[in-house]
Coordinates of all heavy atoms in Angstrom, one line a residue:
M12 N 4.9 -8.9 17.4 CA 5.3 -7.9 16.4 C 5.6 -8.5 15.1 O 6.1 -9.6 14.9 CB 6.6 -7.4 17.0 CG 6.8 -5.8 16.8 SD 8.3 -5.2 17.6 CE 8.0 -5.3 19.3
S13 N 5.3 -7.8 14.1 CA 5.5 -8.3 12.7 C 7.0 -8.2 12.4 O 7.8 -7.4 13.0 CB 4.7 -7.5 11.7 OG 4.9 -6.1 11.8
R14 N 7.4 -9.0 11.3 CA 8.8 -9.0 10.9 C 8.9 -8.7 9.5 O 8.1 -9.1 8.7 CB 9.2 -10.5 11.2 CG 9.5 -10.8 12.6 CD 10.1 -12.2 12.7 NE 11.4 -12.3 12.1 CZ 12.6 -12.0 12.8 NH1 12.4 -11.5 14.0 NH2 13.7 -11.9 12.2
I15 N 10.0 -8.2 9.1 CA 10.4 -7.9 7.7 C 11.1 -9.1 7.1 O 12.0 -9.7 7.7 CB 11.3 -6.7 7.5 CG1 10.7 -5.4 8.2 CG2 11.7 -6.5 6.1 CD1 11.7 -4.4 8.4
V16 N 10.5 -9.6 6.0 CA 11.3 -10.6 5.3 C 11.8 -10.1 4.0 O 11.0 -9.4 3.1 CB 10.2 -11.8 5.0 CG1 10.9 -12.9 4.3 CG2 9.7 -12.2 6.3
V17 N 13.0 -10.3 3.7 CA 13.6 -9.8 2.4 C 13.9 -11.1 1.6 O 14.5 -11.9 2.0 CB 15.0 -9.2 2.7 CG1 15.6 -8.6 1.5 CG2 14.8 -8.0 3.7
D18 N 13.5 -11.0 0.3 CA 13.8 -11.9 -0.7 C 15.2 -11.5 -1.4 O 15.2 -10.7 -2.3 CB 12.7 -12.0 -1.7 CG 12.9 -13.1 -2.8 OD1 14.2 -13.6 -2.8 OD2 12.0 -13.6 -3.4
F19 N 16.2 -12.0 -0.8 CA 17.5 -11.4 -1.3 C 17.9 -11.9 -2.7 O 18.7 -11.3 -3.3 CB 18.6 -12.0 -0.4 CG 18.7 -11.3 0.9 CD1 18.1 -11.7 2.1 CD2 19.2 -10.0 1.0 CE1 18.1 -11.0 3.3 CE2 19.2 -9.3 2.2 CZ 18.7 -9.8 3.3
D20 N 17.1 -13.0 -3.2 CA 17.3 -13.3 -4.6 C 16.7 -12.3 -5.5 O 17.2 -12.0 -6.7 CB 16.7 -14.7 -4.9 CG 17.5 -15.8 -4.3 OD1 18.6 -15.6 -3.9 OD2 16.8 -16.8 -4.1
R21 N 15.7 -11.6 -5.0 CA 15.1 -10.5 -6.0 C 15.7 -9.2 -5.7 O 15.8 -8.4 -6.7 CB 13.6 -10.4 -5.5 CG 12.7 -11.6 -5.9 CD 11.3 -11.3 -5.5 NE 10.7 -10.5 -6.5 CZ 10.0 -11.0 -7.5 NH1 9.8 -12.2 -7.6 NH2 9.4 -10.1 -8.3
C22 N 16.3 -8.9 -4.6 CA 16.8 -7.6 -4.3 C 17.9 -7.2 -5.3 O 18.9 -8.0 -5.4 CB 17.3 -7.5 -2.9 SG 18.1 -5.9 -2.4
E23 N 17.8 -6.0 -5.8 CA 18.9 -5.6 -6.7 C 19.7 -4.4 -6.1 O 20.6 -3.8 -6.7 CB 18.2 -5.2 -7.9 CG 17.6 -6.4 -8.8 CD 16.8 -6.0 -9.9 OE1 16.6 -4.7 -10.2 OE2 16.4 -6.9 -10.7
G24 N 19.5 -4.1 -4.9 CA 20.3 -3.1 -4.1 C 20.1 -1.7 -4.6 O 21.0 -0.9 -4.5
H25 N 19.0 -1.4 -5.2 CA 18.9 0.0 -5.7 C 18.7 1.0 -4.4 O 18.9 2.3 -4.6 CB 17.7 0.2 -6.6 CG 17.8 -0.7 -7.8 ND1 18.9 -0.5 -8.6 CD2 17.0 -1.5 -8.3 CE1 18.8 -1.4 -9.7 NE2 17.7 -2.0 -9.5
G26 N 18.2 0.5 -3.3 CA 18.2 1.4 -2.1 C 17.0 2.3 -2.0 O 17.0 3.2 -1.1
L27 N 16.0 2.0 -2.7 CA 14.8 3.0 -2.4 C 14.2 2.7 -1.0 O 13.7 3.5 -0.5 CB 13.7 2.6 -3.4 CG 14.1 3.0 -4.8 CD1 13.1 2.6 -5.9 CD2 14.4 4.5 -5.0
C28 N 14.3 1.4 -0.6 CA 13.9 1.2 0.8 C 14.7 1.9 1.9 O 14.1 2.5 2.8 CB 14.0 -0.3 1.1 SG 15.6 -1.1 0.8
E29 N 16.0 2.0 1.6 CA 16.9 2.8 2.4 C 16.5 4.3 2.5 O 16.6 4.8 3.5 CB 18.3 2.6 2.0 CG 19.4 3.2 2.9 CD 20.7 3.1 2.5 OE1 21.0 3.3 1.2 OE2 21.6 2.8 3.3
Q30 N 16.2 4.8 1.3 CA 15.8 6.2 1.2 C 14.5 6.4 2.0 O 14.4 7.5 2.6 CB 15.5 6.6 -0.1 CG 17.0 6.8 -1.0 CD 16.6 7.1 -2.4 OE1 15.6 7.6 -2.8 NE2 17.6 6.7 -3.4
T31 N 13.7 5.4 2.1 CA 12.3 5.6 2.6 C 12.3 5.4 4.1 O 11.6 6.1 4.8 CB 11.4 4.6 1.9 OG1 11.4 4.8 0.5 CG2 10.0 4.8 2.4
A32 N 13.1 4.4 4.5 CA 13.1 4.1 6.0 C 14.6 3.8 6.3 O 15.0 2.7 6.6 CB 12.3 2.9 6.3
P33 N 15.4 4.9 6.4 CA 16.9 4.7 6.6 C 17.3 4.1 7.9 O 18.4 3.6 8.1 CB 17.4 6.0 6.4 CG 16.3 7.0 6.6 CD 15.1 6.2 6.3
D34 N 16.5 4.2 8.9 CA 16.9 3.6 10.3 C 16.6 2.1 10.2 O 16.9 1.4 11.3 CB 16.2 4.3 11.4 CG 14.7 4.1 11.5 OD1 14.1 4.0 10.4 OD2 14.2 4.2 12.6
V35 N 15.9 1.5 9.2 CA 15.6 0.1 9.1 C 16.5 -0.6 8.1 O 17.1 -1.6 8.3 CB 14.2 -0.1 9.0 CG1 13.9 -1.7 8.9 CG2 13.3 0.5 10.1
F36 N 16.6 0.1 6.9 CA 17.1 -0.5 5.8 C 18.5 0.2 5.4 O 18.5 1.4 5.4 CB 16.2 -0.5 4.5 CG 15.0 -1.2 4.7 CD1 13.9 -0.4 5.1 CD2 14.8 -2.6 4.4 CE1 12.6 -1.1 5.3 CE2 13.6 -3.1 4.7 CZ 12.5 -2.4 5.1
Q37 N 19.6 -0.6 5.4 CA 20.8 0.0 5.0 C 21.6 -0.8 4.1 O 21.7 -2.1 4.3 CB 21.7 0.2 6.3 CG 21.0 1.3 7.2 CD 21.7 1.5 8.5 OE1 22.8 0.9 8.9 NE2 21.2 2.4 9.3
L38 N 22.2 -0.2 3.1 CA 23.0 -0.9 2.1 C 24.5 -0.6 2.5 O 24.8 0.3 2.9 CB 22.7 -0.2 0.7 CG 21.4 -0.6 0.0 CD1 21.2 0.2 -1.3 CD2 21.2 -2.1 -0.2
D39 N 25.2 -1.8 2.4 CA 26.7 -1.6 2.6 C 27.4 -1.2 1.3 O 26.7 -0.9 0.3 CB 27.3 -2.8 3.3 CG 27.2 -4.0 2.3 OD1 27.1 -3.9 1.1 OD2 27.4 -5.2 2.8
D40 N 28.7 -1.1 1.5 CA 29.4 -0.6 0.3 C 29.5 -1.5 -0.9 O 29.6 -1.0 -2.1 CB 30.9 -0.5 0.8 CG 31.1 0.7 1.7 OD1 30.3 1.5 1.8 OD2 32.2 0.7 2.4
E41 N 29.0 -2.7 -0.7 CA 28.9 -3.7 -1.8 C 27.4 -3.7 -2.4 O 27.2 -4.5 -3.1 CB 29.2 -5.1 -1.4 CG 30.7 -5.4 -1.6 CD 31.5 -5.3 -0.4 OE1 31.2 -5.8 0.7 OE2 32.5 -4.4 -0.4
G42 N 26.6 -2.9 -1.8 CA 25.2 -2.9 -2.3 C 24.4 -3.9 -1.7 O 23.2 -4.3 -2.2
E43 N 24.9 -4.6 -0.6 CA 24.1 -5.7 0.1 C 23.2 -5.0 1.1 O 23.7 -4.1 1.9 CB 25.0 -6.7 0.8 CG 25.9 -7.4 0.0 CD 25.2 -8.6 -0.4 OE1 24.4 -9.2 0.3 OE2 25.4 -9.0 -1.7
L44 N 21.9 -5.4 1.2 CA 21.0 -4.9 2.0 C 21.1 -5.6 3.4 O 21.2 -6.7 3.5 CB 19.5 -5.1 1.5 CG 18.5 -4.6 2.4 CD1 18.5 -3.0 2.5 CD2 17.1 -4.9 1.7
H45 N 21.1 -4.7 4.5 CA 21.0 -5.2 5.9 C 19.8 -4.6 6.6 O 19.6 -3.3 6.3 CB 22.3 -4.8 6.6 CG 23.6 -5.3 6.0 ND1 24.0 -6.6 6.2 CD2 24.4 -4.8 5.0 CE1 25.0 -6.9 5.5 NE2 25.2 -5.8 4.7
L46 N 19.2 -5.2 7.5 CA 18.2 -4.7 8.3 C 18.7 -4.4 9.7 O 19.3 -5.3 10.2 CB 17.1 -5.8 8.5 CG 16.4 -6.3 7.2 CD1 15.3 -7.3 7.5 CD2 15.7 -5.2 6.4
T47 N 18.5 -3.3 10.2 CA 19.0 -2.8 11.5 C 17.9 -3.4 12.5 O 18.2 -3.6 13.6 CB 19.1 -1.4 11.7 OG1 17.9 -0.7 11.3 CG2 20.1 -0.8 10.7
H48 N 16.6 -3.5 12.0 CA 15.6 -4.0 12.9 C 14.8 -4.9 12.0 O 14.0 -4.4 11.2 CB 14.7 -2.9 13.5 CG 15.5 -1.8 14.2 ND1 16.1 -0.7 13.5 CD2 15.8 -1.7 15.5 CE1 16.7 0.0 14.4 NE2 16.6 -0.5 15.7
A49 N 14.8 -6.2 12.2 CA 13.9 -7.1 11.5 C 12.5 -7.0 12.1 O 11.5 -7.3 11.3 CB 14.5 -8.6 11.5
E50 N 12.3 -6.9 13.3 CA 11.0 -6.7 13.9 C 10.5 -5.3 13.8 O 11.3 -4.3 13.9 CB 11.0 -7.1 15.4 CG 11.4 -8.6 15.6 CD 10.9 -9.3 16.8 OE1 10.7 -8.4 17.8 OE2 10.6 -10.4 16.7
V51 N 9.3 -5.1 13.3 CA 8.7 -3.9 13.1 C 8.1 -3.2 14.3 O 7.0 -3.7 14.7 CB 7.8 -3.8 11.9 CG1 7.3 -2.5 11.6 CG2 8.4 -4.5 10.8
A52 N 8.8 -2.3 15.0 CA 8.1 -1.7 16.2 C 7.0 -0.7 15.7 O 7.0 -0.3 14.5 CB 9.2 -0.8 16.9
P53 N 6.0 -0.5 16.5 CA 4.8 0.2 16.1 C 5.1 1.6 15.5 O 4.5 2.0 14.5 CB 4.0 0.4 17.4 CG 4.4 -0.8 18.3 CD 5.9 -1.1 17.9
E54 N 6.2 2.2 16.0 CA 6.5 3.5 15.5 C 7.2 3.5 14.1 O 7.2 4.5 13.5 CB 7.4 4.3 16.5 CG 8.8 3.8 16.7 CD 8.8 2.7 17.9 OE1 7.8 2.2 18.2 OE2 9.9 2.5 18.4
R55 N 7.5 2.3 13.7 CA 8.1 2.1 12.3 C 7.3 1.6 11.4 O 7.6 1.5 10.2 CB 9.5 1.3 12.4 CG 10.5 1.9 13.3 CD 11.9 1.3 12.9 NE 13.0 1.8 13.8 CZ 13.3 1.4 15.0 NH1 12.9 0.2 15.4 NH2 14.2 1.9 15.7
E56 N 6.0 1.2 11.7 CA 5.1 0.6 10.8 C 4.9 1.2 9.5 O 4.9 0.6 8.5 CB 3.8 0.2 11.5 CG 3.8 -1.1 12.2 CD 2.5 -1.4 13.0 OE1 1.5 -0.8 12.7 OE2 2.6 -2.3 13.9
S57 N 4.6 2.6 9.6 CA 4.2 3.2 8.4 C 5.4 3.4 7.5 O 5.3 3.4 6.3 CB 3.5 4.6 8.7 OG 4.4 5.4 9.3
A58 N 6.6 3.7 8.1 CA 7.8 3.8 7.2 C 8.1 2.5 6.5 O 8.5 2.4 5.3 CB 9.0 4.3 8.1
V59 N 8.0 1.4 7.3 CA 8.4 0.1 6.7 C 7.3 -0.2 5.6 O 7.7 -0.8 4.5 CB 8.4 -1.0 7.8 CG1 8.4 -2.4 7.2 CG2 9.6 -0.8 8.7
A60 N 6.1 0.1 5.9 CA 5.0 -0.2 4.8 C 5.3 0.6 3.6 O 5.1 0.0 2.4 CB 3.6 0.1 5.3
A61 N 5.8 1.8 3.7 CA 6.0 2.6 2.6 C 7.3 2.1 1.9 O 7.3 2.0 0.6 CB 6.4 4.0 3.0
A62 N 8.3 1.5 2.6 CA 9.4 0.9 1.9 C 9.1 -0.4 1.1 O 9.5 -0.6 0.0 CB 10.5 0.6 3.0
V63 N 8.1 -1.2 1.7 CA 7.7 -2.3 1.0 C 7.0 -1.9 -0.3 O 7.2 -2.6 -1.4 CB 6.7 -3.1 1.9 CG1 5.9 -4.2 1.1 CG2 7.3 -3.8 3.1
R64 N 6.2 -0.8 -0.4 CA 5.5 -0.5 -1.5 C 6.4 0.1 -2.5 O 6.3 -0.1 -3.7 CB 4.5 0.7 -1.1 CG 3.2 0.1 -0.5 CD 2.1 1.1 -0.5 NE 2.5 2.4 0.1 CZ 2.4 2.7 1.3 NH1 1.8 1.8 2.2 NH2 2.7 3.9 1.9
V65 N 7.5 0.8 -2.1 CA 8.4 1.4 -3.0 C 9.4 0.5 -3.7 O 10.0 0.9 -4.7 CB 9.1 2.6 -2.3 CG1 10.3 2.2 -1.5 CG2 9.4 3.7 -3.2
C66 N 9.7 -0.7 -3.1 CA 10.6 -1.6 -3.7 C 10.2 -1.9 -5.1 O 9.1 -2.5 -5.4 CB 10.8 -2.9 -2.9 SG 11.9 -4.1 -3.6
P67 N 11.2 -1.7 -6.1 CA 10.6 -1.9 -7.5 C 10.6 -3.4 -8.0 O 10.0 -3.7 -8.9 CB 11.7 -1.1 -8.3 CG 12.9 -1.1 -7.4 CD 12.3 -1.1 -6.0
V68 N 11.1 -4.3 -7.1 CA 11.1 -5.7 -7.5 C 10.4 -6.6 -6.5 O 10.4 -7.8 -6.5 CB 12.6 -6.2 -7.7 CG1 13.3 -5.6 -8.8 CG2 13.4 -6.1 -6.4
A69 N 9.6 -5.9 -5.6 CA 8.8 -6.6 -4.7 C 9.6 -7.6 -3.7 O 9.1 -8.8 -3.6 CB 7.6 -7.3 -5.3
A70 N 10.7 -7.2 -3.4 CA 11.6 -8.1 -2.6 C 11.3 -8.0 -1.0 O 11.8 -8.8 -0.3 CB 13.0 -7.6 -2.8
L71 N 10.4 -7.1 -0.7 CA 10.1 -6.9 0.9 C 8.8 -7.4 1.1 O 7.8 -7.0 0.3 CB 10.4 -5.4 1.2 CG 11.7 -4.9 0.9 CD1 11.7 -3.3 1.2 CD2 12.7 -5.6 1.7
K72 N 8.5 -8.0 2.3 CA 7.3 -8.3 2.8 C 7.3 -8.1 4.4 O 8.4 -8.2 5.0 CB 7.0 -9.8 2.6 CG 6.4 -10.2 1.3 CD 6.0 -11.6 1.3 CE 6.3 -12.3 0.0 NZ 6.5 -13.7 0.1
V73 N 6.1 -7.8 4.9 CA 6.0 -7.8 6.4 C 5.1 -9.0 6.7 O 4.0 -9.1 6.2 CB 5.5 -6.5 6.8 CG1 5.1 -6.6 8.2 CG2 6.4 -5.3 6.5
Q74 N 5.6 -9.8 7.6 CA 4.8 -11.0 8.1 C 4.3 -10.6 9.4 O 5.0 -10.2 10.3 CB 5.7 -12.2 8.1 CG 5.9 -12.9 6.8 CD 6.6 -14.2 6.9 OE1 7.2 -14.5 8.0 NE2 6.6 -15.0 5.8
P75 N 3.0 -11.0 9.6 CA 2.4 -10.7 11.0 C 3.1 -11.5 12.0 O 3.7 -12.6 11.8 CB 0.9 -11.1 10.8 CG 0.8 -11.5 9.4 CD 2.1 -11.6 8.7
Ligands
SF4_13 S1 14.2 -1.2 -2.6 FE1 13.9 -3.5 -2.9 S2 15.6 -3.9 -4.4 FE2 16.0 -2.0 -3.6 S3 17.4 -2.4 -2.0 FE3 15.4 -2.3 -1.0 S4 14.8 -4.5 -1.1 FE4 16.4 -4.3 -2.6

């Protein structure tokens, strides 16, 4: 199963990934990003891919 990799040095906490795939990406009260599922289940692949594309600072990757 592929995995989500977050470059936390790049992430600015704007939360577009959370809006796109809220069951995977969640921001806490301090704007820190947390992954509820680092492994990408088949049913989440398209939502995660959309979140990767929408991140304005290219902080998200999916590794095979
Ligand atoms: S969209 Fe990108 S910059 Fe924004 S919270 Fe998600 S990973 Fe961070």
Side-chain angles (χ1 to χ4, degrees):
M12 216 179 288
S13 54
R14 290 183 64 82
I15 301 166
V16 179
V17 182
D18 184 342
F19 286 100
D20 290 338
R21 294 183 79 95
C22 174
E23 294 174 350
H25 297 306
L27 295 177
C28 55
E29 184 183 44
Q30 288 174 26
T31 305
D34 67 331
V35 178
F36 301 96
Q37 289 176 5
L38 290 173
D39 66 18
D40 292 343
E41 269 98 54
E43 293 276 320
L44 179 62
H45 300 275
L46 301 178
T47 59
H48 306 85
E50 296 209 325
V51 184
E54 66 271 21
R55 295 199 182 93
E56 270 176 16
S57 63
V59 168
V63 169
R64 284 195 303 273
V65 84
C66 176
V68 295
L71 300 175
K72 273 190 219 155
V73 174
Q74 282 188 344

